[in-house]
């Protein structure tokens, strides 16, 4: 059996470019940024001089719905003088009606005095989401179908009477590959055949100068392109290593978060009473036929180990996570710093009996920061995180030991020409008080290269290369993407690993695969 291990670099690389290879082009307009349909153009008469609109004074004003504001103004005027309600202006029922489009609904009836004081909540918006189908075949021996995934994510949002907003979303997955043959052991099939997740589901409201978000949400603290290094709050689905798209891999947290937005300062404080943890899959039971999860990261323990079920912390408040972050824009520099204490989302392997291990989650403490600066032809980004309390396994029999460490990364992003984007990154993990029996070196170095090129007829070519600089293990991911219809995307490529089984990438050298995916966003 090849002994594999959860290398220290997982603290750095589990967040290495995931969304980066699936990154979409930057939006070309404000409407495209906020996914708005283009509005009908209004032609000014020659005699009319356009009057510039004043800049928004608040975040709420920036994102305000003009139709909703008009409706609110009429409601207030009716409340002030109910007797004029039947002769007041009629508020359009939609943006289409406001601009007199052909398919606009009929005008709303004037509000009656008896109903003037009622302010019904905004009706839920249309269902948004995506559907995708993905096939993947592992061609390294033994060849097998590793993925035949159907995934549907749906969400909607709306507004309450008092101005608070809400969002509700969920996702369901079904992987038919686990029904096609008996390559995997039964516990792996049970774990990865079907899945249901509550995705972002929260309520937004304001209290004084602070904006609150309560519920299941993504909390993104990282600034690097597609990296999770400083994004310490997120849990991740690691059952396919770092091969899934960024938005699919990230697991939301149940959190209470409050944010303050100043002129050039953004501050946030969060509490996570019921943390989510990384999904790591199921290991092989070496006493039975069949295989474990393709990307289960076995620790470098001697002999033929036995792995027990994962021990996740309970729901008591002592297992809560707490954090705070502040960022500031100063002279073109986007700077941030944070502190965070949590039950580690990544599991470490505790020795519970001779040659028997159980994945557990320990409390860790982290502090770090990030920076970003536009340097004209390129963008500089960097992050650093210091961690105390994380345990690393030994290459000899014994309990995992706590090792303080510093992880940092720096990258440059630039465009050699209008159709090409290039990103290069260097990353390092440094262990303090390094134990000799810990497999990673006291200093581990790595680098990545990402290139994307726009091609004719809505095609795009992508290439991601990642490599350890301490040893000869690597991963390469060439990919082609075709946007053949609006909201439709076809992707296909290969994931190839190389190097010794003791390497972060080399441990998966028997998981080389080819894949194809089709996705529709609505």
């Amino acid at each position: 059996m090849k002994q594999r291990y959860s290398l220290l670099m997982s603290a750095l690389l589990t967040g290495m470019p995931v969304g980066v290879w699936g990154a979409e082009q930057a939006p070309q307009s404000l409407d495209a940024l906020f996914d708005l349909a283009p509005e009908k153009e209004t032609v000014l008469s020659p005699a009319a001089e356009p009057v510039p609109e004043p800049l928004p004074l608040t975040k709420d004003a920036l994102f305000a719905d003009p139709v909703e504001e008009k409706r609110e103004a009429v409601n207030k005027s009716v409340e002030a003088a109910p007797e004029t309600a039947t002769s007041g202006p009629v508020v359009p029922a939609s943006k289409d009606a406001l601009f007199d489009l052909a398919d606009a609904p009929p005008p709303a009836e004037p509000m009656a005095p008896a109903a003037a004081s009622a302010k019904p909540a905004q009706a839920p918006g249309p269902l948004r989401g995506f559907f995708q189908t993905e096939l993947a075949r592992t061609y390294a021996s033994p060849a097998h179908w590793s993925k035949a995934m159907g995934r549907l994510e749906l969400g909607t949002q709306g507004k309450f009477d008092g101005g608070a907003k809400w969002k509700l979303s969920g996702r369901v997955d079904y992987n038919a590959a686990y029904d096609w043959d008996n390559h995997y052991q039964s516990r792996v099939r049970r774990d990865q055949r079907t899945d249901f997740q509550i995705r972002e589901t929260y309520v937004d409201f304001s209290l004084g100068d602070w904006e609150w978000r309560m519920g299941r949400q993504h909390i993104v603290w990282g600034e690097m392109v597609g990296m999770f290094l400083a994004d310490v709050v997120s849990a991740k689905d690691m059952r396919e290593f770092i091969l899934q798209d960024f938005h699919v891999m990230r697991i939301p947290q149940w959190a209470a978060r409050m944010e303050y937005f100043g002129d050039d300062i953004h501050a946030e404080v969060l509490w996570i009473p019921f943390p989510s943890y990384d999904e790591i899959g199921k290991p092989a039971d070496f006493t039975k036929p069949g295989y474990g999860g393709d990307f289960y990261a076995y620790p470098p323990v001697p002999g033929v180990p036995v792995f027990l079920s994962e021990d996740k912390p309970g729901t008591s408040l002592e297992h809560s996570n707490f954090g705070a972050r502040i960022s500031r824009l100063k002279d073109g520099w986007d700077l941030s710093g944070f502190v965070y204490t949590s039950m580690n989302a990544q599991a470490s392997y505790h020795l519970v009996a001779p040659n028997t291990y159980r994945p557990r989650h320990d409390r860790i403490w982290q502090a770090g920061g990030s920076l970003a600066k536009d340097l004209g032809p390129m963008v500089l980004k960097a992050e650093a995180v210091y961690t105390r309390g994380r345990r690393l396994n030994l290459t000899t029999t014994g309990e995992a030991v706590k090792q303080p460490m510093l992880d940092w990364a720096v990258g440059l992003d630039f465009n050699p020409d209008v159709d090409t984007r290039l990103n290069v990154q260097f990353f390092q993990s440094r262990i303090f008080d390094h134990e000799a029996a810990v497999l990673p070196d006291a200093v581990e170095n790595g680098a990545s290269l990402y290139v994307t090129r726009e091609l004719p007829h809505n095609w795009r070519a992508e290439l991601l290369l990642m490599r350890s600089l301490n040893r000869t293990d690597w991963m390469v991911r060439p990919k082609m993407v075709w946007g053949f219809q609006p909201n439709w995307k076809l992707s296909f490529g290969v994931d190839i690993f190389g190097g010794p089984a003791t390497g972060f990438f080399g441990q998966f050298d028997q998981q080389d695969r080819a894949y194809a995916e089709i996705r529709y966003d609505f």
Side-chain angles (χ1 to χ4, degrees):
M1 180 198 72
K2 288 189 176 179
Q3 293 183 345
R4 305 169 185 266
Y5 75 100
S6 179
L7 184 62
L8 163 66
M9 291 173 66
S10 65
L12 180 63
L13 291 176
T14 53
M16 288 313 301
V18 175
V20 84
W21 56 75
E24 302 292 339
Q25 285 184 295
Q28 303 301 312
S29 69
L30 184 64
D31 285 346
L33 176 61
F34 292 99
D35 196 26
L36 299 177
E39 298 177 352
K40 184 174 180 180
E41 182 175 335
T42 302
V43 180
L44 296 175
S45 64
E49 290 294 332
V51 180
E53 296 182 0
L55 293 175
L57 300 179
T58 65
K59 187 183 73 170
D60 289 338
L62 176 62
F63 294 97
D65 184 342
V67 178
E68 188 67 21
E69 289 184 346
K70 290 176 180 289
R71 186 178 291 110
E72 185 72 10
V74 172
N75 286 339
K76 290 182 178 179
S77 66
V78 170
E79 291 176 351
E83 66 279 2
T84 65
T86 56
S87 60
V90 176
V91 180
S94 68
K95 185 164 67 176
D96 288 343
L98 176 64
F99 290 95
D100 194 28
L101 298 182
D103 57 351
E109 293 295 332
M111 289 176 290
S117 60
K119 294 183 181 180
Q122 177 181 319
L127 285 175
R128 300 285 187 180
F130 68 91
F131 174 77
Q132 71 180 46
T133 299
E134 184 175 356
L135 293 174
R137 182 166 178 82
T138 299
Y139 57 82
S141 179
H144 60 279
W145 288 101
S146 52
K147 198 170 187 180
M149 177 72 74
R151 172 175 288 130
L152 176 65
E153 180 166 319
L154 295 173
T156 186
Q157 55 190 355
K159 184 183 293 186
F160 293 111
D161 292 357
K165 301 176 182 179
W166 57 269
K167 181 176 182 178
L168 175 67
S169 63
R171 191 176 78 201
V172 61
D173 300 341
Y174 171 65
N175 192 340
Y178 295 100
D179 292 325
W180 289 356
D181 57 44
N182 294 321
H183 176 84
Y184 299 96
Q185 293 178 351
S186 59
R187 60 177 175 177
V188 179
R189 295 198 300 269
R190 287 194 301 269
D191 179 59
Q192 295 188 223
R193 179 189 290 113
T194 59
D195 192 23
F196 172 77
Q197 285 189 33
I198 299 175
R199 302 296 286 174
E200 287 200 294
T201 299
Y202 54 74
V203 175
D204 284 339
F205 57 93
S206 300
L207 288 177
D209 294 332
W210 290 85
E211 304 290 334
W212 285 75
R213 175 166 291 180
M214 308 282 287
R216 192 161 171 84
Q217 56 190 283
H218 291 309
I219 301 170
V220 182
W221 283 0
E223 297 289 346
M224 299 296 288
V225 177
M227 291 183 64
F228 288 107
L229 175 60
D231 189 10
V232 296
V233 182
S234 298
K236 296 169 286 294
D237 187 344
M238 298 297 298
R239 291 175 293 183
E240 292 185 56
F241 191 44
I242 56 173
L243 305 181
Q244 299 187 90
D245 286 342
F246 179 82
H247 67 280
V248 172
M249 187 177 176
R250 186 188 299 277
I251 299 173
Q253 294 280 9
W254 290 105
R257 176 168 56 151
M258 59 179 186
E259 298 179 88
Y260 171 79
F261 296 88
D263 292 338
D264 56 1
I265 291 179
H266 172 225
E268 57 185 302
V269 179
L270 66 92
W271 172 45
I272 303 177
F274 311 114
S276 298
Y277 299 94
D278 289 359
E279 293 287 349
I280 61 175
K282 299 297 182 182
D285 182 345
F286 298 108
T287 66
K288 298 179 180 179
Y291 292 83
D294 288 338
F295 296 102
Y296 191 88
Y298 295 94
V301 295
V304 179
V306 175
F307 295 98
L308 303 179
S309 299
E310 183 180 0
D311 182 13
K312 292 186 177 181
T315 57
S316 63
L317 293 181
E318 64 178 335
H319 297 136
S320 297
N321 300 347
F322 303 89
R325 179 177 183 262
I326 187 168
S327 58
R328 183 180 184 188
L329 186 63
K330 179 69 173 178
D331 298 329
W333 289 87
D334 189 356
L335 308 171
S336 72
F338 67 84
V339 292
Y340 187 60
T341 178
S342 67
M343 304 303 296
N344 192 2
Q346 301 175 9
S348 57
Y349 296 84
H350 290 248
L351 183 68
V352 296
N355 221 32
T356 302
Y357 298 84
R358 184 183 295 278
R360 289 178 177 168
H361 299 265
D362 306 298
R363 178 161 292 279
I364 60 174
W365 180 90
Q366 295 174 289
S370 62
L371 64 85
K373 180 69 167 70
D374 186 347
L375 301 178
M378 64 185 66
V379 176
L380 168 69
K381 293 188 177 184
E383 295 178 354
V385 181
Y386 175 76
T387 304
R388 294 188 64 90
R390 178 176 290 143
R391 291 181 181 270
L392 301 179
N393 285 91
L394 307 177
T395 56
T396 58
T397 300
E399 172 68 324
V401 294
K402 292 183 179 181
Q403 298 274 258
M405 61 191 71
L406 175 68
D407 299 314
W408 64 275
V410 61
L412 289 174
D413 200 301
F414 54 95
N415 297 87
D417 58 60
V418 68
D419 293 321
T420 305
R421 176 189 174 195
L422 180 65
N423 176 266
V424 292
Q425 296 179 140
F426 172 81
F427 44 89
Q428 183 181 94
S429 193
R430 180 179 295 268
I431 301 176
F432 303 99
D433 303 325
H434 182 260
E435 289 277 352
V438 171
L439 181 59
D441 296 336
V443 178
E444 289 277 349
N445 300 304
S448 70
L449 170 68
Y450 170 69
V451 184
T452 178
R453 172 78 176 179
E454 299 296 329
L455 302 173
H457 308 295
N458 296 321
W459 282 89
R460 182 174 73 251
E462 300 180 12
L463 175 68
L464 174 72
L465 173 64
M466 300 177 67
R467 179 187 170 93
S468 166
L469 301 181
N470 287 55
R471 50 190 63 83
T472 58
D473 67 301
W474 49 270
M475 177 186 74
V476 62
R477 301 194 72 202
K479 179 179 181 180
M480 293 293 294
V481 182
W482 181 30
F484 60 94
Q485 287 289 335
N487 301 333
W488 285 91
K489 181 176 68 175
L490 173 66
S491 307
F492 55 88
V494 291
D495 303 321
I496 307 172
F497 302 88
T502 54
F504 182 65
F505 302 109
Q507 63 180 320
F508 302 125
D509 63 349
Q510 295 300 308
Q511 306 304 333
D512 298 348
R513 68 180 191 176
Y515 68 91
E517 172 192 318
I518 187 168
R519 170 171 167 148
Y520 173 65
D521 291 270
F522 54 89

